[in-house]
Amino acid sequence: MSVALERVSKRFGEFVALDEVTFGVDEGELVALVGPSGSGKSTLLRVVAGLERQDAGAVRIHGEDAAPLGPGDRRIGFVFQHYALFRHMTVFENVAFGLRVRPRRERPSGSEITSAVKDLLQLVELDALSARYPSELSGGQQQRVALARALAVQPRVLLLDEPFGALDARVRKQLRQWLRQLHDEVRVTTILVTHDSEEACEVADRVAVMHEGRIAQIGTAADLLRETANPFLGAFLADSPRPSASAKRIDYH
Amino acid sequence: MSTTIAPPAARHGIPPGLRAARRTATAATGESAIARWILIGIALAYLFLFLGLPLFVVFEEALKKGVGAYFTALRDAELLHALRLTLLVAGIAVPLNVVFGISAAWAITKGKVRGHALLVALADLPLAVSPVIAGLTFMLLFGMQGWFGPWLRAHDIQIAFTVTAVVLATIFVTLPFVARELIPLMEEQGVTEEEAAVTLGASGWQMFRRVTLPNIRWGLLYGVVLCNARAMGEFGAVSVVSGRIRGQTTTLPLHIEILYNEYDFTAAFAASSLLAMLAVVTLAAKHLLERSHHAARARLIQEQQEKQP
Ligand SMILES: Nc1ncnc2c1ncn2[C@@H]1O[C@H](COP(=O)(O)OP(=O)(O)OP(=O)(O)O)[C@@H](O)[C@H]1O
Ligand SMILES: [Mg+2]
């Protein structure tokens, strides 16, 4: 088990954002997390990353209890919904950041960093834009930079919070296929949060559906579509892609 | 700032070249040429009347009795002492308020500290009260008859009417400038870049040094310039707490007033011209820093465009 959550709970004041979530992801697996807005998907990722502390329960990464580890020690790659690229750094420097901040003993040399970053930029097909600043990139390009930056630290686990949420339908579709290919190449354990159940079913090995701070159901896309045990779940999966989202997207064309 | 119509994110996110392009675009599509010239005329007249003319008069008065008299006045020991004191006071107050301003802005916007509103209000206090009252309050606390008077006397410490008092009063008066400049900026930027830095393994200091600080540097620079201008120019509070001991606790502004009251106009305006030049140097330093940055940035973009087919 690459990532395991055991009865993890998280409250914000009175509000229960995660309610005894138990959930595991296998080594090299890509699991999609779907669910309506406010169901706790981002909170779950942030707890795994260590950006938020759970109130109860345990997070294990490769069997090791993550409680004593800060977010920087968990070897996690996090891709934020709105990219969160460093706006004052070039694409190259963004990707190099994780290597440059290593303690001196573990830090690669300048030329090693350069070649590692070049490889990554090639992987995400952005080597031509390495001197640009984030504000000079399209949304899809920014997202790929964010991905390369997260991969640079050779994470044991990759956490993607609605990575394609802010992109239009066509780019979204391309990027999701590209992500799947990338995952087949790199094979890093990945949790992908998305609003779009079609996206989840297409990309992921397994899909977990969250509802009100709990994992309502988990299984392969085929499993989930077959057994719509939970009436809410049936509605959610049938509703794909969600009308509000597609209505918004039409404006872009 | 210049482009008030643009959304806040545009102010700091868009490279200066693009920003300039946008500005000319709105100017070309906006009001008629006549209206534009009238507006520009009013602005220029205003600037001339309230900035240009006074500055001119200062130098004019200072040089009235000739260049020789001007430089003699500048060589006066008390004047030089006042200049050194002013630089010393600014040299202490500005760095301290930079540290305070960054910490306060951080605590208010990024740290999850309780009582934000109270902290913001407190940081604004020095702007709200008259500096003279600030000085008087200060005397009530640290004067020999004040609250801490007996304790200070028992430990043989004198604060009122010393350089220490001048420094403390200046720190108080200039306290809000850096913080006020940074709070809205850091609020708008949020914490996601910092979170990204932390997940990538950055330590707290690395995160601040490599992510937060570069993002706030222009706002910080502006805050420093304002803070410095006020520190060097402060009159009211310093006037009260310093006791105006000539050649000891008189800063440049105080010294100028003393000279003026003694009808020594050449010396008064010569000293004023020094103060004005300090201000000009500060602004020029700010301008040069910004320009060298923008030039480096433009070079980078150009190199990159040349590389592309
Ligand atoms: N820092 C916080 N303080 C208070 N409440 C929070 C905080 N973070 C999240 N919440 C609440 O927890 C709930 C779950 O939030 P979360 O961001 O995990 O939802 P989500 O499933 O990611 O939703 P979305 O799809 O809209 O991103 C929401 O009701 C949210 O208001
Ligand atoms: Mg979310």
Side-chain angles (χ1 to χ4, degrees):
Chain A
M1 208 46 80
S2 195
V3 178
L5 281 78
E6 288 157 20
R7 299 169 67 91
V8 169
S9 295
K10 175 72 192 173
R11 273 186 306 278
F12 293 109
E14 293 289 286
F15 183 82
V16 182
L18 292 180
D19 189 4
E20 302 209 338
V21 172
T22 298
F23 167 59
V25 185
D26 289 327
E27 182 70 48
E29 195 184 19
L30 198 168
V31 171
L33 211 53
V34 296
S37 187
S39 56
K41 307 181 296 292
S42 296
T43 306
L44 191 149
L45 286 202
R46 291 172 63 82
V47 165
V48 174
L51 291 170
E52 216 79 69
R53 289 272 161 182
Q54 69 269 29
D55 298 315
V59 176
R60 283 178 212 290
I61 300 172
H62 287 267
E64 180 191 8
D65 183 13
L69 301 178
D73 304 319
R74 295 190 179 189
R75 299 264 318 272
I76 288 223
F78 203 115
V79 174
F80 295 82
Q81 180 163 6
H82 297 287
Y83 323 129
L85 294 177
F86 304 126
R87 70 190 88 186
H88 65 282
M89 291 182 205
T90 60
V91 166
F92 185 96
E93 285 306 318
N94 263 280
V95 178
F97 185 89
L99 301 173
R100 292 210 198 282
V101 297
R102 291 230 176 122
R104 185 156 293 134
R105 280 169 289 107
E106 303 162 30
R107 195 184 309 156
S109 72
S111 56
E112 283 167 342
I113 292 181
T114 306
S115 79
V117 172
K118 279 200 175 134
D119 287 349
L120 279 162
L121 286 176
Q122 234 152 37
L123 186 71
V124 298
E125 296 156 17
L126 281 177
D127 33 339
L129 304 183
S130 67
R132 291 241 187 130
Y133 282 83
S135 61
E136 299 159 356
L137 299 178
S138 74
Q141 290 166 339
Q142 291 188 43
Q143 195 53 272
R144 283 182 282 155
V145 177
L147 205 53
R149 179 177 72 175
L151 288 172
V153 294
Q154 296 180 318
R156 298 184 293 185
V157 178
L158 196 55
L159 304 175
L160 311 172
D161 193 356
E162 298 195 40
F164 313 133
L167 305 173
D168 75 55
R170 217 165 352 153
V171 180
R172 224 180 139 93
K173 208 151 200 163
Q174 282 168 4
L175 272 182
R176 94 167 62 129
Q177 281 153 7
W178 174 83
L179 177 71
R180 182 67 234 186
Q181 276 171 15
L182 182 79
H183 185 261
D184 291 339
E185 268 172 57
V186 187
R187 277 276 152 219
V188 53
T189 309
T190 303
I191 305 179
L192 164 77
V193 166
T194 170
H195 259 125
D196 183 342
S197 48
E198 183 190 295
E199 181 170 292
C201 293
E202 188 179 321
V203 175
D205 301 317
R206 281 190 303 155
V207 178
V209 183
M210 279 199 83
H211 183 50
E212 291 179 351
R214 286 184 216 163
I215 304 274
Q217 195 142 9
I218 183 163
T220 64
D223 288 347
L224 287 190
L225 287 170
R226 208 171 329 110
E227 34 170 302
T228 45
N230 184 328
F232 154 75
L233 189 73
F236 187 77
L237 289 177
D239 180 20
S240 152
R242 303 209 304 167
S244 65
S246 53
K248 237 184 281 159
R249 274 183 232 132
I250 287 164
D251 295 341
Y252 291 100
H253 296 291
Chain B
M1 283 191 190
S2 50
T3 47
T4 37
I5 313 153
R11 287 205 324 240
H12 302 284
I14 294 178
L18 293 182
R19 222 182 294 163
R22 177 176 300 178
R23 211 178 302 148
T24 45
T26 48
T29 53
E31 62 284 341
S32 76
I34 299 173
R36 202 158 72 232
W37 281 112
I38 292 177
L39 286 176
I40 292 174
I42 291 175
L44 284 180
Y46 199 83
L47 283 178
F48 176 73
L49 201 62
F50 289 99
L51 288 178
L53 211 53
L55 205 59
F56 174 76
V57 169
V58 165
F59 283 90
E60 212 256 350
E61 278 294 325
L63 292 165
K64 214 173 205 167
K65 293 194 180 137
V67 181
Y70 176 72
F71 281 105
T72 314
L74 285 187
R75 272 197 296 274
D76 177 64
E78 280 176 5
L79 176 63
L80 290 178
H81 184 273
L83 174 64
R84 273 198 302 274
L85 183 58
T86 295
L87 293 176
L88 173 78
V89 168
I92 297 174
V94 173
L96 285 181
N97 278 334
V98 165
V99 173
F100 165 79
I102 292 175
S103 326
W106 181 281
I108 288 168
T109 60
K110 309 215 174 187
K112 291 168 186 167
V113 176
R114 278 163 192 261
H116 294 191
L118 185 67
L119 205 53
V120 174
L122 275 180
D124 273 349
L125 192 64
L127 285 182
V129 296
S130 153
V132 176
I133 297 174
L136 288 174
T137 318
F138 198 84
M139 294 303 289
L140 281 178
L141 288 176
F142 297 104
M144 283 302 151
Q145 317 305 328
W147 274 23
F148 299 117
W151 186 89
L152 290 171
R153 234 169 325 175
H155 291 80
D156 208 17
I157 303 171
Q158 165 124 26
I159 290 187
F161 310 138
T162 65
V163 171
T164 314
V166 174
V167 171
L168 290 177
T170 306
I171 290 174
F172 175 79
V173 174
T174 56
L175 183 127
F177 291 99
V178 175
R180 281 211 64 98
E181 202 52 45
L182 294 184
I183 289 167
L185 186 56
M186 285 163 92
E187 194 103 38
E188 170 198 318
Q189 290 178 346
V191 295
T192 45
E193 283 185 48
E194 276 83 5
E195 285 185 341
V198 165
T199 57
L200 290 166
S203 66
W205 171 249
Q206 285 173 320
M207 171 191 75
F208 175 73
R209 181 55 205 80
R210 288 169 177 262
V211 176
T212 309
L213 196 57
N215 278 342
I216 62 172
R217 65 190 152 184
W218 301 120
L220 182 63
L221 183 62
Y222 192 61
V224 166
V225 167
L226 288 180
C227 183
N228 186 53
R230 183 66 189 268
M232 294 196 302
E234 174 55 23
F235 184 85
V238 170
S239 169
V240 175
V241 304
S242 69
R244 302 167 166 238
I245 308 171
R246 257 184 114 138
Q248 284 185 36
T249 63
T250 45
T251 57
L252 259 186
L254 298 183
H255 192 67
I256 291 166
E257 209 225 9
I258 291 173
L259 291 172
Y260 189 83
N261 286 340
E262 291 172 350
Y263 303 104
D264 191 351
F265 295 132
T266 303
F269 282 101
S272 302
S273 72
L274 272 189
L275 205 51
M277 281 189 282
L278 284 180
V280 171
V281 167
T282 313
L283 288 178
K286 168 178 179 274
H287 183 75
L288 285 179
L289 271 174
E290 284 177 347
R291 210 178 56 175
S292 71
H293 170 76
H294 291 158
R297 182 93 169 63
R299 223 177 304 125
L300 220 144
I301 290 173
Q302 197 184 354
E303 273 169 24
Q304 196 202 339
Q305 279 164 353
E306 279 162 9
K307 252 189 277 167
Q308 254 147 62

